[in-house]
Structures are given as C-alpha cells and as structure tokens.
Amino acid sequence: MIDPRQAHDVAHAIATAALGRDPGPMIVGDSLSHHVYLGADVVVKVIEADRHSRLDREIALAPHLPAGITAPLLDSGRYELETREVRYACYARAPGATPGMDMPGVDEVTARLLAAEAVQRLHALHRWTPAAPARQTLAETLDHGGFVSKAALFAEVESLGALNRDGIIPRRVLDGLAAIAEGAPAQASVAVPVHADCHWGNWLARDRSVTALLDFEWARFGEPMDDWFFLVRFSGPHMEAVLDVVADETGTSPATLRRECEVREASYLAADLRVSLQRPDIPAQTVAENVRDLEELVLENPWWRHAP
C-alpha cells in the first residue's frame, strides 16, 4: 500500500503538472478502491500499479463518453515512486457535492427532482453509440456480480447451498432466493452502455440539479434496468419516491421495476456472500453481514413492502 502522505504528495505533483500551476490545498476524498484527492478545481485518483485495473477502464472510456455527462479527464498515466509504480487519473473538478449513498439529509422534493434529472442523464448514456475503442472496452468480460440470467442466478443459489456447510444461511433464505430466481427473466440483454454503479454516492448535484455522474469503472454493455436499480435501491428513505419517478420517466410499470430490481439485488447479494464464503481471509463479521443483507431481501420483501 502507498503511504497516505506519499500518495498526497504524488497527487499534488500530478495536479500541478496537469494544471500548469499549484492546485492549492488538496483534501482526501471518500473511496473504497483508490486514493482520491480533491483540490479546488481538480481531482486526482491514484492506485498501486499492481492492483485492480478498473481505473484503466474508466480512463479508456473518458474521452468517448457523451459530452457533459461526467468530469473532463485532464491527464492519466503512470507515476514512478522510489519503490513502486502507481497509476493515476486527473480530472477537472465538477461543481456540486454528492447527495451521498442513501441520500442523507435530502428532503423528498429534492430527491424527486434529482432522480428525474439523473434518469435523463442516464437516458443520454443509454442512447450513446460508442466509437470502436469505447465499444471494445464496454464489451470486455467483467465479473460485475449483477444479474446475467435465470440460470446463472440459480447457479449462485446452488453454490451457496454447497458452501453452507456450517448452516450459516437459513434454509428459508435459500428457498426464498430460489423463488426470486424462478421469477427472473431468462437472460439480461447487453444492448446499451450502462454505468452499472450509479448509486447516489457517484453523482454530484448543486441547487437541486445533478451536475455530473462519476466513476465509470464498472461501465459495460447491459440494459437500462441495470442503472435504474442503483438509483432506486440507494435512495434511503426516498426509495419509494424515486421508484415512482423512475417508473414515470421511463414508462415502466412499478410492478415490473420492483421485480427487475429485486432480481438484481438478489444477484449482487448472492455473489457477495459466495465470494465471502469462498475466501478464508474474509472476517466472520463480514460473512454475517452478507447473510443479514440477503435475509433482509428475501424475508422482509423490501421491494414489495409498499406496493399497492
């Protein structure tokens, strides 16, 4: 791992080179996968060269994305340290602040306005016809953990059953997960570009308007429902309001939206739990949390709790 102080110095040097001047103070940004540093008008993402390659995916897509959808890429490449090499991407800082995962402190009127604008931004992404280099990147195989097919979701259920040697997953949870799989579509389409991680922590907004969608590390070919799921699921107390907005803006029946989102959440949670059970280095607390998340989905029916 890079020493945080060293990472800050690297980010400052990268920003200085990209801007042609001192970027001023840079603070640490929230990120689970990179070292992120924010200046007044610049953002730098840094990661060790030997770690995951998702930043390379984002960099490859950045020059080709529809205009105005995300922050402009100023520079990218590799930076040599004394003992290791890092990869980086340097962006112009878009205006606004993130509403945050689950929209803490956001009132319902604002949540509805932001959701409507987010849908329109995503419509632009879904209508985008990528050039050959971007098309190649979007088509690359990516183990995204989301919904692929009914057969794949049933396979996840079987894998969890086989890994459940200690009985940590209640039988009724596995049965409920199988019931969700039974109602899943036969196959997910891969017809349009999707962001595939557009929860509210990856949006910026100002004055009740969205200004940018960030972090295209998981972008791929999929179907619009792959993005509607993230908008709705991570709206916190406004989940039902945002579901109504997405249904209206997309012409999708609320029942269809609930069913498709439930299938996607089941796929993500089942994959997370399987990975945790397969890796002996994963803490028991993490495994227990994965089980609880799946229990909540299957036994508490959050997607149908407020359905008419």
Side-chain angles (χ1 to χ4, degrees):
M1 297 291 290
I2 309 174
D3 178 86
R5 189 176 307 170
Q6 189 178 33
H8 176 275
D9 292 345
V10 167
H12 192 276
I14 290 168
T16 299
L19 295 173
R21 57 175 172 78
D22 191 316
M26 300 186 72
I27 62 173
V28 178
D30 291 333
S31 176
L32 297 176
S33 55
H34 295 86
H35 302 276
V36 177
Y37 293 89
L38 311 175
D41 49 10
V42 69
V43 177
V44 178
K45 298 172 74 171
V46 178
I47 189 171
E48 295 87 343
D50 58 354
R51 291 194 60 204
H52 65 75
S53 61
R54 295 197 302 272
L55 184 60
D56 292 342
R57 187 182 195 85
E58 180 175 281
I59 290 167
L61 291 173
H64 306 286
L65 290 168
I69 199 168
T70 193
L73 179 68
L74 301 178
D75 192 18
S76 64
R78 292 178 176 248
Y79 193 98
E80 294 285 345
L81 303 177
E82 292 181 2
T83 58
R84 65 175 62 223
E85 185 180 53
V86 299
R87 288 175 285 126
Y88 70 88
C90 180
Y91 297 91
R93 186 170 180 178
T98 175
M101 188 82 80
D102 294 331
M103 295 184 141
V106 175
D107 62 81
E108 184 173 319
V109 171
T110 301
R112 286 180 174 273
L113 292 171
L114 294 179
E117 290 202 4
V119 170
Q120 295 309 312
R121 292 278 182 126
L122 288 167
H123 275 324
L125 177 64
H126 300 159
R127 289 192 295 263
W128 170 47
T129 301
R135 176 170 290 274
Q136 181 177 347
T137 299
L138 291 166
E140 289 172 356
T141 300
L142 186 65
D143 185 13
H144 53 75
F147 177 67
V148 175
S149 67
K150 176 186 288 193
L153 186 49
F154 270 120
E156 287 283 19
V157 178
E158 292 178 2
S159 294
L160 290 178
L163 291 165
N164 194 33
R165 290 181 288 270
D166 296 330
I168 190 173
I169 313 170
R171 182 71 247 174
R172 58 181 181 158
V173 171
L174 292 174
D175 290 343
L177 186 58
I180 292 174
E182 184 60 43
Q187 193 81 27
S189 73
V190 287
V192 301
V194 296
H195 183 278
D197 195 29
C198 54
H199 58 74
W200 290 101
N202 279 336
W203 291 89
L204 295 179
R206 184 174 64 179
D207 299 330
R208 291 184 166 181
S209 293
V210 297
T211 57
L213 175 57
L214 308 177
D215 293 343
F216 279 76
E217 299 172 19
W218 291 101
R220 56 181 173 83
F221 281 122
E223 57 183 280
M225 196 64 69
D226 297 326
D227 283 338
W228 307 147
F229 161 73
F230 281 96
L231 281 189
V232 177
R233 178 62 182 87
F234 298 101
S235 297
H238 308 303
M239 180 171 159
E240 288 296 315
V242 171
L243 187 146
D244 287 344
V245 170
V246 172
D248 288 344
E249 294 284 333
T250 63
T252 306
S253 77
T256 297
L257 189 55
R258 291 179 193 278
R259 183 171 60 252
E260 294 273 2
C261 286
E262 181 181 52
V263 165
R264 279 157 179 78
E265 184 165 12
S267 299
Y268 281 115
L269 294 182
D272 287 347
L273 179 54
R274 170 181 50 79
V275 170
S276 292
L277 291 171
Q278 288 174 331
R279 291 180 52 184
D281 59 316
I282 297 293
Q285 181 180 350
T286 299
V287 176
E289 290 172 354
N290 292 153
V291 172
R292 281 198 300 273
D293 289 343
L294 197 54
E295 283 182 319
E296 179 183 355
L297 173 68
V298 170
L299 303 180
E300 298 183 19
N301 297 315
W303 290 101
W304 302 98
R305 189 179 300 144
H306 301 289

